Amino acid sequence: MTSPQRRTVFQVSHSVSASSAPYRLNDALNRNISDMESVLLLRRRKGIDGLEISRSAARRATDALRRHLAHGFDALLPERRRDLPFSLNVLGMGFDTAQMEKADLVHLHWIGGRTVDFTRLSHIRRPLVYTLHDMFACTAGCHCTMDCDRFRDECRGSCPQLGTPRLFRGLPAWLFSRKRRSFARIPP
């Protein structure tokens, strides 16, 4: 009789702490399911046992440039509410899809901000699970919608979190459509 094959799950998240959902799930899977290995795959490890998302040297340089562009982009949003989290994620961090192929399943958690470039998710040839801990996947970039329901109309109109951008007045609708097209490219 052959033994069951060991399965590997990557828990992808921005970063985690010992009290966060990805960390607790990772720990519970590793302690309780003998034929499974769960691995935290993080943007930054920060002392947590796991792997960092793999990027080539060229991609790291490109990501650094994109990060500076994203910070500069804030100047175009003078009315942006600083007390609410909004991730532009237009300039998401690239990643090596070959690293993702080492898992049998890729479980996405908090990928907003610049954790991963969600336009590249369709390149992962492994089953994806995306646990929605907040509203980021359903909006242009809001993690919590507060009293705004513009995501029901594809984030068209003036965004209460971004205010009125000096340029790109249709920015929230563009971000929403870009995200929707990217998610639609992920194979079922």
Side-chain angles (χ1 to χ4, degrees):
M1 180 177 221
T2 61
S3 64
Q5 183 181 6
R6 189 167 178 85
R7 301 287 182 188
T8 302
V9 177
F10 280 171
Q11 309 286 342
V12 181
S13 190
H14 176 75
S15 65
V16 299
S17 66
S19 63
S20 68
Y23 184 92
R24 291 190 322 265
L25 176 60
N26 184 68
D27 182 56
L29 290 173
N30 283 329
R31 282 188 295 114
N32 296 304
I33 302 178
S34 60
D35 59 345
M36 179 179 290
E37 177 188 21
S38 184
V39 177
L40 291 169
L41 188 59
L42 309 168
R43 180 168 168 235
R44 290 191 195 109
R45 281 184 21 196
K46 292 185 179 178
I48 298 290
D49 191 23
L51 299 173
E52 286 196 12
I53 295 171
S54 178
R55 297 179 291 158
S56 67
R59 187 60 206 221
R60 285 182 186 280
T62 301
D63 288 342
L65 177 61
R66 293 171 93 176
R67 184 175 56 252
H68 290 296
L69 287 172
H71 289 304
F73 197 75
D74 267 348
L76 300 174
L77 306 169
E79 300 168 20
R80 178 179 175 183
R81 287 186 62 180
R82 305 293 181 207
D83 60 332
L84 296 174
F86 188 100
S87 296
L88 292 172
N89 204 4
V90 185
L91 307 171
M93 188 175 88
F95 56 89
D96 181 4
T97 56
Q99 181 184 29
M100 302 286 184
E101 302 298 321
K102 295 175 183 173
D104 295 296
L105 180 116
V106 177
H107 186 177
L108 306 171
H109 292 273
W110 284 284
I111 62 166
R114 293 177 297 97
T115 304
V116 296
D117 181 350
F118 57 81
T119 63
R120 295 185 42 85
L121 292 176
S122 63
H123 299 283
I124 300 172
R125 296 183 314 243
R126 294 291 184 254
L128 293 175
V129 174
Y130 190 175
T131 297
L132 303 178
H133 298 281
D134 57 20
M135 294 289 292
F136 176 76
C138 310
T139 67
C142 300
H143 292 271
C144 55
T145 59
M146 304 301 279
D147 294 327
C148 178
D149 66 353
R150 292 192 190 273
F151 67 94
R152 295 175 191 208
D153 190 29
E154 301 180 359
C155 294
R156 292 190 178 105
S158 181
C159 176
Q161 290 197 30
L162 291 182
T164 306
R166 290 183 183 153
L167 300 172
F168 314 114
R169 295 200 186 280
L171 178 66
W174 178 77
L175 290 169
F176 185 94
S177 68
R178 184 173 186 269
K179 188 181 293 184
R180 188 163 99 188
R181 281 191 314 270
S182 296
F183 288 155
R185 287 186 198 112
I186 298 171

